Amino acid sequence: MDAILLQILNGLDKGSAYALIALGLTLIFGTLGVVNFAHGALFMIGAFCAVTLQKLMNLSFVTIDESQTDFLGNPLKVETPYVEAWFGPEFGATIIDWSVPLAILFAIPIMLAVGYVMERGLIKHFYKRPHADQILVTFGLAIVLQEIVKYFFGANPIQTPPPDALSGSIDLGTMIGFDPNAIIYPIWRLVYFGFAVAIIGAVFSFLQFTTFGMVVRAGMADRETVGLLGINIDRRFTIMFGIAAAVAGLAGVMYGPLNPPNYHMGMDFLVLSFVVVVVGGMGSLPGAVLAGFLLGILESFASTTWATTTIPGINQIIIYLVAIIVLLTRPRGLMGRKGVMEE
């Protein structure tokens, strides 16, 4: 039982990333009708927002400490981060230590701006173009963004450690009644899952309980009628594109401590996230979230030693096998709406 629970936890960890990226993809497709292959790049940009803030916080100046000398008797050069000089050694060190969570505040305006510029500068010109054209242009944009990040940050992964207080593991076994040390699980993975649930809940609450969200949902169902009521639905959809970009970016910010950011991480998640969207049902927000967590859990179980020994390579293809089975039995996906992508 403890092994099963451990695999479910591992699946929720990966499924959280799938669900957040797929949620943003579905928001864009549901509002604008655009198949955005650059969405994985937004996930990557979010991760590198955390990298950038970490580098900024570690900028330092050099001072000469006469009280310390090297082996030749010369005064030592001491590097002091500006943050520690401004806020004091202890509080400054704490700020640097919590740079990844603080990057959430740093990333939100950046991702909103990136989403706005992307939609107004490029994607709005492809609203009425075939989906194939949308895929080609957004995929090209994703490659450009990937190469820009590679140029400035290099090709190697960059470590973005979590705060020391959240970097250890917790004995979940004892907490839920299992034997001690039966389930030792990293704290940050639990934090990431909780963060994903909070973001998903915030997005659904925004769409369900705010006037802005209700207008957006109405526009997703019947854009022309909402426009005839005198509502500038295009402006609201542009804002939703920025929100979708922010969701993907925040998913990337918090994912950095789990997997060090690199320039191709967006592409690594992109194809799988589109599979998640298709399995959940094109245009269905609940379907995207459900499929994200479901496929994450299935991938976790398929990665166990027993599964890979019984069926070698099953962990690499399980998501695609599930997609085939779902689409053969439910062509619109688990929660897809009639008429979406069927014209």
Side-chain angles (χ1 to χ4, degrees):
M1 189 64 189
D2 55 345
I4 293 174
L5 181 58
L6 182 60
Q7 293 306 320
I8 291 175
L9 289 171
N10 288 333
L12 291 176
D13 163 22
K14 182 65 71 70
S16 296
Y18 291 158
L20 286 174
I21 299 174
L23 179 63
L25 279 169
T26 306
L27 277 173
I28 292 172
F29 181 81
T31 54
L32 304 175
V34 174
V35 182
N36 181 23
F37 255 66
H39 203 71
L42 297 175
F43 176 75
M44 172 200 63
I45 291 173
F48 277 93
C49 283
V51 171
T52 302
L53 183 64
Q54 187 181 58
K55 289 182 177 293
L56 290 174
M57 286 188 172
N58 281 283
L59 288 176
S60 58
F61 59 92
V62 178
T63 57
I64 303 299
D65 187 354
E66 299 287 350
S67 64
Q68 301 183 61
T69 58
D70 58 19
F71 69 97
L72 295 176
N74 299 316
L76 283 180
K77 295 181 179 179
V78 179
E79 291 190 2
T80 304
Y82 286 99
V83 173
E84 291 187 9
W86 296 334
F87 298 100
E90 292 186 3
F91 188 60
T94 301
I95 293 175
I96 294 173
D97 183 42
W98 285 78
S99 61
V100 171
L102 291 174
I104 293 174
L105 303 177
F106 179 69
I108 288 176
I110 292 176
M111 297 309 303
L112 288 173
V114 169
Y116 179 84
V117 171
M118 184 185 296
E119 193 273 338
R120 289 288 87 188
L122 178 65
I123 291 179
K124 75 172 184 178
H125 303 292
F126 289 84
Y127 287 161
K128 298 181 180 179
R129 299 282 288 272
H131 290 307
D133 291 354
Q134 297 170 359
I135 292 172
L136 286 174
V137 72
T138 53
F139 186 75
L141 177 61
I143 294 175
V144 170
L145 293 174
Q146 177 178 286
E147 292 303 312
I148 290 174
V149 169
K150 182 181 177 181
Y151 175 80
F152 284 103
F153 293 93
N156 296 322
I158 301 174
Q159 297 289 334
T160 53
D164 289 339
L166 302 176
S167 62
S169 298
I170 188 172
D171 186 355
L172 285 178
T174 302
M175 295 176 61
I176 60 178
F178 288 96
D179 294 334
N181 299 322
I183 304 176
I184 303 296
Y185 204 73
I187 297 175
W188 189 258
R189 291 181 180 272
L190 296 174
V191 170
Y192 189 76
F193 171 66
F195 173 80
V197 171
I199 293 295
I200 292 168
V203 170
F204 276 91
S205 298
F206 175 73
L207 292 174
Q208 191 70 30
F209 301 116
T210 65
T211 302
F212 187 100
M214 286 187 280
V215 172
V216 168
R217 286 190 290 117
M220 291 171 69
D222 192 340
R223 181 171 183 161
E224 292 184 2
T225 300
V226 173
L228 291 174
L229 294 174
I231 298 173
N232 188 344
I233 194 65
D234 289 340
R235 184 175 64 184
R236 293 175 186 256
F237 282 176
T238 299
I239 294 173
M240 288 308 300
F241 193 101
I243 292 174
V247 169
L250 294 181
V253 167
M254 297 294 281
Y255 196 75
L258 298 179
N259 192 14
N262 56 74
Y263 73 98
H264 57 76
M265 66 184 300
M267 289 295 185
D268 294 342
F269 274 90
L270 177 65
V271 175
L272 292 175
S273 298
F274 263 100
V275 173
V276 169
V277 171
V278 172
V279 170
M282 294 295 290
S284 172
L285 297 176
V289 174
L290 173 64
F293 286 116
L294 176 63
L295 294 180
I297 292 172
L298 290 175
E299 187 178 25
S300 175
F301 277 100
S303 300
T304 60
T305 303
W306 178 85
T308 54
T309 302
T310 305
I311 308 177
I314 186 63
N315 57 316
Q316 302 294 325
I317 63 173
I318 183 64
I319 288 182
Y320 305 103
L321 287 177
V322 173
I324 292 171
I325 294 171
V326 169
L327 294 180
L328 285 176
T329 55
R330 298 182 62 87
R332 297 191 185 106
L334 294 176
M335 304 178 71
R337 304 196 310 268
K338 183 178 180 180
V340 178
M341 294 288 284
E342 293 181 349
E343 67 276 2

